[in-house]
Amino acid sequence: MAYYRSCIEMVIEQLDKFKPEKDSPELFLEAASTSLQVLSPQKQAFVSELLSGCLHYRKLLAVVVDAFYVRDGQLCPWADYSLFQVLCYLATFELDKLGFRLFCSIVKALPAGKTCKFLRFFFNPLNLCSWIKDEWSLLYTAAHMQNWIETLLRWQPEVENLLDQLEGGLAHQASLTKVKAKVTEPREFNLTAPWPRAIPVPDPVPTVAKPRPVPRSTYQEPKGQQQLQLLKRFNRQKAEELLLLANREELRCAMPRPPRGPPVQDPKKQLQLRSTLPRIQKIPKLTFYRPNHVPVKLNAAAILREGAPYRRQVEKELQRVDKLVDGYRDLSEFLEWQEKMRAKDQAEQLAVSECRRLQGKLSHEEAVLARQHVQQENKQKADQKKEQTAELMWWCAEQRLQEDRAMKELVEQVTEAQKNVKVAQMKLVKSRRQIVQEMTQESRQLLQHSVKEAEMEQRRRRELTSQLRALEMQPSRKGKLVDLTQIPGYGLEGEMSVVELRERLALLKETQKRKEEERRDQIIQDKRTKNEELRNTVEQISLCRTAVGRAAALRWERKKARAALVQGPDERVLELRSKIAARAAERLENTAPLHMPAPRTARPRPRAQLEAQHWQEVERSRERRARGHPEPARRLAAS
């Protein structure tokens, strides 16, 4: 019983792995046969035959098993689906070959409750003669189906007796197991007084190390900063004293003095002279207030970056003055002529831009005319295409009819070929069994050979380990004397002892320290010179700014005073406008007979909107240029 039970469990395991949507039955059988080579030949033949039969008749078996789950097996788990398929196949196709006695032993080896429930449903005469017969007749011919049904009805009484015996055994086992259990008797529980809780021993308080106090220098300014503050305060007081002294003493050079002549003796005349002389009033004392805004402090890079253009400008000016001293002419006349020519070139550029705009408009009109011609040609091509598609559809219909006839003939040939499939399948199974037996013999021989080689390798390793252990047990000298003044003597270039190496490292550290000090002094000197240069550049920048402002004001006044000549309209612009008018008239004449809506007027398409926006932007840019240059604008307006 255990033998058949293990065989059926292996078949169920393989059927659970089979997926009809992805796997092919033939390929799946080949893969399963390779995995079953470990079994004995008799067991392997029984399992492979049972598996191939279940896969071949899987549709027929699925009809019965699915109906069982719908009607009587609603409480059975779906994990037993393959078990019910195997039972259905054994009862339908293998009962005559195996015999009823062997079939009984196989059924008893399986779970009794599940097998009894399924076999009673399957061997029910009402089910066999009604819906099972109808469903099987849809899958196979009536002769095969009638033969299977008669076989099942012939074995039906004996199977019923077997099922009654199994159900009686189950009922007897259930009655034996239902023995009245002993009732638990409660016992009294002796309540005792609880022990008092012990007072927990307190943990020792950890001692924390005393922290170091904060140094006083944290809250004090550094000495260098304090000295700078003192110097600033002293310089400020000195500057205020000098300013007050200068305001207190009036400008003596501006004071009018009486002419040196004979002194006037009369005091009245002296008073008249004093009254006639102009008097300069003294300036009141100034009060200084600290400004609220703080000036922006620029870094060195910003100061040098701002001073570079001014420095170059000063150098150019000095070169110009030197050239004038040497006898070169002034470039003012040339600059005036250059400005006039620049204004003329600007007007020419405006005329060219207007020509380009008009050329674009002209190309737009020509494109509309070309589009109309293309639409007419496309209409003619569409009519021709429709005629060709109609002919092609008629030809495709004839081809489809011929293909349908060929497919019907192919289906008839396939149905005839399916009749000989089982014979070829049996031959294939036999040939594969022979191949499997040969492969098993070869694998056994290879396994024996590998076992012998593994034993030889193990012996060799044991000998090597014993030799290594013997070498490890020999005594060896571990200590070594080292002389730091001795050269190793490896034969390398520049070898030295450890003592010499330490002396050289000490000398290198001293030289490195000396170089660092020299470098530090050099950096301080460079920083001082750089600060001096930055102060000079700041003063130069302020002087250059004032000079540039004055020059810009003078240039602006000259530009305002200058008036450009008004020129007449350009001939190219007039010619392009006349061409555009002619193209527009031709387009309107072509659109009238075609009864087509005028493009970009009634319902503008996205492309038309984009073109309109483009021309509007061109007009706006032209207006902006005209505002910036009034003379060319007046010339274009006149045109």
Side-chain angles (χ1 to χ4, degrees):
M1 292 174 67
Y3 174 79
Y4 292 110
R5 185 172 183 175
S6 64
C7 293
I8 290 172
E9 285 177 354
M10 293 177 74
V11 174
I12 291 168
E13 183 182 355
Q14 295 295 331
L15 285 174
D16 290 336
K17 293 178 182 178
F18 178 72
K19 294 179 181 179
E21 298 86 5
K22 297 181 180 179
D23 301 333
S24 173
E26 290 80 8
L27 297 175
F28 185 77
L29 281 172
E30 290 179 2
S33 63
T34 55
S35 63
L36 297 174
Q37 289 177 2
V38 187
L39 305 176
S40 61
Q42 187 178 1
K43 193 173 183 180
Q44 184 181 354
F46 179 72
V47 171
S48 60
E49 186 176 359
L50 194 57
L51 181 61
S52 63
C54 291
L55 292 175
H56 183 69
Y57 295 105
R58 65 181 182 281
K59 294 182 181 179
L60 185 140
L61 304 176
V63 170
V64 180
V65 178
D66 291 342
F68 170 71
Y69 272 104
V70 172
R71 298 187 180 186
D72 294 349
Q74 295 176 355
L75 301 177
C76 294
W78 282 93
D80 298 330
Y81 191 90
S82 301
L83 172 64
F84 297 144
Q85 279 186 332
V86 174
L87 280 173
C88 185
Y89 175 75
L90 288 171
T92 308
F93 300 102
E94 299 292 334
L95 189 55
D96 290 336
K97 295 179 183 178
L98 296 173
F100 187 71
R101 186 174 180 181
L102 188 57
F103 180 75
C104 290
S105 61
I106 292 171
V107 170
K108 289 177 182 178
L110 299 174
K114 300 173 184 178
T115 54
C116 289
K117 197 170 186 180
F118 177 74
L119 290 174
R120 194 171 291 281
F121 168 79
F122 182 51
F123 279 94
N124 191 355
L126 293 175
N127 294 335
L128 288 171
C129 297
S130 59
W131 59 270
I132 292 177
K133 186 176 181 181
D134 297 336
E135 292 291 334
W136 284 3
S137 62
L138 296 174
L139 299 172
Y140 292 94
T141 57
H144 289 87
M145 180 268 302
Q146 190 66 30
N147 188 13
W148 296 333
I149 295 293
E150 288 176 358
T151 306
L152 291 171
L153 290 173
R154 189 173 68 251
W155 290 104
Q156 191 265 339
E158 297 179 2
V159 173
E160 287 289 336
N161 295 330
L162 174 64
L163 296 176
D164 292 337
Q165 291 176 7
L166 291 173
E167 287 177 354
L170 287 172
H172 182 64
Q173 289 178 1
S175 63
L176 290 175
T177 53
K178 290 181 180 179
V179 179
K180 188 175 181 182
K182 291 182 179 181
V183 180
T184 56
E185 295 179 357
R187 294 181 182 179
E188 294 182 0
F189 185 74
N190 295 326
L191 294 171
T192 57
W195 289 91
R197 290 187 179 181
I199 298 170
V201 178
D203 296 333
V205 180
T207 57
V208 182
K210 188 177 180 180
R212 295 175 63 186
V214 181
R216 292 182 182 179
S217 60
T218 306
Y219 304 105
Q220 292 178 356
E221 291 184 357
K223 291 182 179 180
Q225 196 74 16
Q226 292 177 2
Q227 291 176 1
L228 286 173
Q229 292 293 337
L230 287 172
L231 284 172
K232 283 182 182 178
R233 201 176 294 117
F234 175 73
N235 293 335
R236 179 75 178 178
Q237 290 175 2
K238 193 175 179 180
E240 287 179 356
E241 289 174 1
L242 290 172
L243 183 61
L244 289 171
L245 184 63
N247 291 329
R248 197 180 298 121
E249 296 180 359
E250 295 178 349
L251 300 173
R252 296 179 182 179
C253 63
M255 288 289 291
R257 296 181 181 180
R260 293 183 179 181
V264 182
Q265 302 279 333
D266 195 359
K268 291 182 179 180
K269 289 183 179 179
Q270 287 180 2
L271 290 171
Q272 287 178 0
L273 286 169
R274 285 180 185 176
S275 62
T276 55
L277 291 172
R279 298 183 67 185
I280 297 173
Q281 295 181 357
K282 287 187 178 181
I283 299 170
K285 290 184 180 181
L286 299 174
T287 56
F288 296 95
Y289 298 97
R290 184 171 291 178
N292 293 328
H293 65 278
V294 181
V296 178
K297 185 177 180 182
L298 299 175
N299 56 4
I303 292 169
L304 293 173
R305 195 186 303 115
E306 192 172 0
Y310 293 125
R311 188 171 63 252
R312 288 195 293 270
Q313 193 173 359
V314 168
E315 290 175 358
K316 288 181 182 177
E317 191 66 24
L318 289 173
Q319 290 175 4
R320 190 178 70 82
V321 170
D322 293 338
K323 288 180 180 179
L324 288 173
V325 169
D326 293 339
Y328 282 86
R329 292 180 63 185
D330 194 6
L331 297 175
S332 58
E333 296 178 359
F334 172 72
L335 292 174
E336 288 179 2
W337 174 81
Q338 191 178 13
E339 288 180 359
K340 288 179 183 178
M341 295 304 293
R342 191 176 294 152
K344 190 176 179 182
D345 292 342
Q346 217 163 19
E348 184 67 25
Q349 286 178 3
L350 282 172
V352 170
S353 65
E354 182 67 16
C355 290
R356 284 178 184 169
R357 186 183 71 81
L358 294 173
Q359 284 175 359
K361 215 166 183 182
L362 179 62
S363 64
H364 170 66
E365 294 291 339
E366 291 176 353
V368 171
L369 288 172
R371 196 179 296 115
Q372 289 177 359
H373 293 310
V374 169
Q375 285 178 357
Q376 293 176 0
E377 292 176 0
N378 289 340
K379 191 175 180 182
Q380 294 175 1
K381 289 178 180 178
D383 295 337
Q384 294 176 1
K385 196 75 177 173
K386 285 179 182 177
E387 294 176 359
Q388 291 176 1
T389 50
E391 293 176 358
L392 222 131
M393 290 291 289
W394 178 76
W395 181 77
C396 288
E398 288 185 352
Q399 290 290 329
R400 199 178 294 113
L401 288 172
Q402 293 178 2
E403 288 176 0
D404 291 340
R405 290 171 191 163
M407 285 298 291
K408 286 180 182 178
E409 293 176 358
L410 188 64
V411 167
E412 291 175 358
Q413 292 175 3
V414 169
T415 52
E416 290 177 359
Q418 281 181 352
K419 295 178 182 178
N420 300 324
V421 170
K422 192 167 184 181
V423 178
Q425 191 174 3
M426 293 299 291
K427 291 180 180 178
L428 183 65
V429 169
K430 289 178 181 178
S431 63
R432 284 175 182 169
R433 284 177 187 170
Q434 292 177 0
I435 292 166
V436 167
Q437 289 176 0
E438 293 174 358
M439 292 294 290
T440 50
Q441 290 177 1
E442 290 179 0
S443 62
R444 285 173 187 170
Q445 292 176 1
L446 290 171
L447 186 62
Q448 291 175 1
H449 184 66
S450 62
V451 167
K452 290 179 181 178
E453 288 181 352
E455 288 177 356
M456 294 290 291
E457 184 68 22
Q458 195 170 5
R459 286 197 205 99
R460 190 175 59 80
R461 286 181 180 178
R462 284 174 187 170
E463 292 175 358
L464 287 173
T465 50
S466 62
Q467 291 175 6
L468 289 171
R469 285 174 183 171
L471 289 172
E472 288 175 359
M473 294 299 290
Q474 290 180 0
S476 62
R477 184 177 178 182
K478 296 182 180 179
K480 187 177 181 181
L481 299 174
V482 179
D483 188 6
L484 298 179
T485 59
Q486 187 179 0
I487 298 171
Y490 295 122
L492 301 174
E493 186 177 357
E495 276 186 331
M496 63 183 73
S497 63
V498 177
V499 176
E500 187 180 356
L501 181 63
R502 288 174 182 171
E503 290 177 358
R504 290 196 180 188
L505 287 173
L507 291 171
L508 283 172
K509 285 180 182 177
E510 288 178 2
T511 54
Q512 190 174 4
K513 192 173 181 181
R514 197 184 309 113
K515 286 180 182 178
E516 285 178 358
E517 289 176 356
E518 291 174 359
R519 179 66 178 164
R520 194 178 293 110
D521 296 338
Q522 184 67 26
I523 288 168
I524 291 167
Q525 188 66 28
D526 293 343
K527 196 176 287 185
R528 288 175 183 170
T529 55
K530 188 178 179 181
N531 289 333
E532 290 293 331
E533 290 176 359
L534 288 175
R535 289 195 199 97
N536 296 332
T537 52
V538 169
E539 293 175 0
Q540 189 179 1
I541 285 166
S542 62
L543 292 172
C544 291
R545 278 179 179 171
T546 54
V548 168
R550 289 172 187 169
L554 289 171
R555 265 189 262 109
W556 179 249
E557 292 296 332
R558 289 175 187 170
K559 193 173 183 180
K560 278 186 177 180
R562 191 183 301 112
L565 296 174
V566 179
Q567 297 180 2
D570 198 351
E571 295 179 359
R572 293 175 293 175
V573 175
L574 295 174
E575 186 180 355
L576 287 171
R577 284 180 180 173
S578 62
K579 285 183 181 180
I580 289 167
R583 291 289 185 276
E586 187 179 354
R587 176 172 56 80
L588 292 171
E589 288 176 1
N590 290 337
T591 53
L594 290 172
H595 301 288
M596 293 175 65
R600 299 173 182 80
T601 55
R603 291 183 66 187
R605 297 179 183 176
R607 186 177 177 185
Q609 291 177 2
L610 292 172
E611 290 180 358
Q613 288 177 4
H614 170 68
W615 293 117
Q616 287 176 5
E617 288 177 1
V618 171
E619 290 288 341
R620 287 172 193 160
S621 65
R622 192 166 64 84
E623 289 175 2
R624 275 192 241 108
R625 290 178 187 170
R627 287 172 192 164
H629 305 282
E631 294 298 330
R634 284 201 295 271
R635 182 173 62 79
L636 289 172
S639 63

